[in-house]
Amino acid sequence: MSSRPPLRPLDEALAELLGHARPLPGEERVATFDADGRVLAQDLVSALHVPPQDNSSMDGYAVRRAEIPDEGVVLPVSQRIAAGHAAQPLQAGTVARIFTGAPVPEGADAIVMQEYAEPVGESSVRILTVPGPGQWIRRAGEDVTRGAVILQRGHRLDPAACGLAAGIGCDTLPVARRPKVALFSTGDELVMPGTVPPDRMAPGAIYNSNRFFLRQLLARCGCEVGDLGIVPDDRQATIEALRTAARDHDVILTSGGVSVGEEDHIKPAVQQLGSLDLWQIAMKPGKPFAYGRVGESHFLGLPGNPVSSFITFLLLVRPFLLKLQGATGLAPAVLSLRADFDWKADKRREFLRVRRNAEGGLGLFPNQSSGVLTSTVWCDGFVDNPANQAIARGDTVRFLPLAELLA
């Protein structure tokens, strides 16, 4: 009878994994222009109101409502106010020509759009509508109030957040330092594109696609990548690669060699140098995922099959790396959508490559093999299907949008 431990449920494994991901010490300041994708290391507090004063949201005329009891009132224009220029108090019995973004003059309590006014002579205007209270006025502090926390520590910055930070005067931002990740693949069969043309590939050789998407996924997670290349299927070479990687990296990420074959050397090498705390997840694809320690470095071992490697990175490695940077809100969005396909139950929790269709349902990629990387390009998300649950056409299923996982 096998003494191999049972497969770990995915949610349990993820919780354990994140328990090991304590935020790395240290932070740095970066230009707000360059902060996209970084994790904020401190709360961001506004030192001013945004907007700083009441301003007009339309081109038109600043008025006192009490002086416009009916449509057709004609009033003189006493001043012209453009954005970026100061306004004088509004004289009684007059209106002010005003433009979008310009400060509202003291005494005015509404803006009449220029489409509802017509010039009379050179210096007067006829108001064609009775304005409502505060019409087309953006109030001071309407967006941000002075002293408010506009972005909390742990927020992963995106273009909108960077714009918001710039709007309160931040030209630099305090962010968590980038995790240093050592990446290498294992396998005698792997060949780098460009080194051997397709018509000269040896029998059994394959191009190393994993190395390319993993480097780019690591970059999207805000990591500094140390690429150690391809390590042959050799125990001592694997040990030396792990030892080298552990010297100056926070994380070691490998692809391949974590299963149970005679040429899978990662697992015993990690156990020799440190500890293997998590191995084999009850998910499909992606069962032979591993976590452990090599010296002071975290070790994350991905399966060699490309789809397995891709999906386990997104569901397990990505939240781990973001938590190392202190990021919050790690769980992906889940949508409830209609399955326009049938699927047989499996004993493991499955992540099926699907794509939304014009009818609002989900179509299934025809080949769900863990070696068919085409499915990850074709799909726009995954169906998260529980173990032992069949899907019938028309069922409501859990859909994980790929765009969010790749952000």
Side-chain angles (χ1 to χ4, degrees):
M1 177 178 281
S2 173
S3 61
R4 191 180 304 165
L7 302 182
R8 297 289 294 278
L10 176 59
D11 290 340
E12 180 184 306
L14 179 59
E16 180 177 330
L17 188 65
L18 294 179
H20 292 289
R22 293 178 176 82
L24 298 171
E27 63 181 66
E28 59 181 327
R29 293 198 75 90
V30 299
T32 304
F33 275 125
D34 301 324
D36 184 30
R38 303 297 295 272
V39 176
L40 201 60
Q42 300 174 19
D43 289 349
L44 210 58
V45 180
S46 178
L48 76 165
H49 287 321
V50 179
Q53 65 274 316
D54 293 356
N55 70 85
S56 177
S57 63
M58 292 288 175
D59 291 348
Y61 296 88
V63 303
R64 284 187 176 87
R65 294 180 57 249
E67 296 175 347
I68 308 175
D70 298 300
E71 298 174 359
V73 171
V74 176
L75 294 169
V77 179
S78 58
Q79 62 177 305
R80 181 181 185 276
I81 314 167
H85 295 265
Q88 301 299 316
L90 185 62
Q91 298 175 21
T94 73
V95 301
R97 180 71 166 116
I98 197 166
F99 297 90
T100 302
V104 176
E106 180 183 337
D109 57 8
I111 306 296
V112 174
M113 292 172 59
Q114 63 186 15
E115 290 86 346
Y116 296 102
E118 59 183 21
V120 176
E122 292 185 1
S123 58
S124 296
V125 67
R126 178 177 288 109
I127 305 300
L128 304 178
T129 185
V130 177
Q135 181 174 285
W136 304 122
I137 293 177
R138 293 185 290 219
R139 297 299 180 186
E142 179 179 295
D143 187 6
V144 176
T145 57
R146 185 184 299 109
V149 175
I150 65 161
L151 294 168
Q152 292 184 328
R153 177 182 180 180
H155 186 97
R156 193 167 186 226
L157 297 164
D158 58 14
C162 292
L164 182 60
I168 65 166
C170 297
D171 65 330
T172 64
L173 292 170
V175 295
R177 76 168 177 86
R178 296 179 183 273
K180 295 179 180 179
V181 181
L183 172 67
F184 67 84
S185 306
T186 67
D188 292 339
E189 76 280 11
L190 297 177
V191 175
M192 280 298 290
T195 59
V196 180
D199 59 353
R200 296 184 185 176
M201 289 279 278
I206 58 172
Y207 288 122
N208 187 0
S209 59
N210 294 18
R211 185 174 174 186
F212 286 80
F213 67 70
L214 289 175
R215 275 186 57 163
Q216 292 167 14
L217 288 172
L218 287 168
R220 289 190 178 207
C221 289
C223 299
E224 292 182 15
V225 183
D227 192 335
L228 305 187
I230 300 171
V231 176
D233 285 325
D234 175 82
R235 179 71 55 84
Q236 194 56 41
T238 303
I239 289 171
E240 289 306 315
L242 289 168
R243 207 177 258 138
T244 299
R247 288 189 191 124
D248 53 3
H249 293 92
D250 303 301
V251 178
I252 303 167
L253 180 67
T254 66
S255 173
V258 289
S259 193
V260 294
E262 292 181 7
E263 296 300 323
D264 291 318
H265 299 293
I266 288 286
K267 179 174 177 280
V270 171
Q271 290 173 318
Q272 180 175 330
L273 295 175
S275 64
L276 194 71
D277 305 311
L278 182 64
W279 183 54
Q280 294 204 328
I281 312 298
M283 63 183 292
K284 184 179 181 181
K287 181 179 77 171
F289 174 86
Y291 169 80
R293 303 283 296 207
V294 178
E296 296 300 314
S297 299
H298 299 281
F299 164 77
L300 296 163
L302 302 181
N305 280 323
V307 179
S308 302
S309 188
F310 185 76
I311 289 178
T312 50
F313 185 100
L314 295 178
L315 299 182
L316 292 162
V317 178
R318 181 179 183 271
F320 181 87
L321 294 172
L322 293 178
K323 190 177 178 188
L324 286 183
Q325 299 169 74
T328 55
L330 303 176
V334 178
L335 305 179
S336 295
L337 295 179
R338 185 188 69 247
D340 289 344
F341 59 88
D342 298 310
W343 187 254
K344 293 181 180 180
D346 191 273
K347 63 182 179 181
R348 283 183 275 160
R349 183 173 173 181
E350 293 185 279
F351 292 88
L352 307 173
R353 276 73 72 206
V354 296
R355 185 164 70 186
R356 283 170 282 199
N357 56 38
E359 293 74 40
L362 296 171
L364 182 73
F365 191 77
N367 189 337
Q368 292 289 315
S369 167
S370 61
V372 179
L373 196 56
T374 311
S375 67
T376 64
V377 177
W378 177 90
C379 77
D380 64 6
F382 310 130
V383 165
D384 178 2
N385 193 46
N388 303 309
Q389 181 167 306
I391 298 172
R393 188 178 299 268
D395 285 350
T396 298
V397 294
R398 288 166 47 88
F399 174 74
L400 308 180
L402 184 57
E404 180 174 323
L405 293 168
L406 292 175

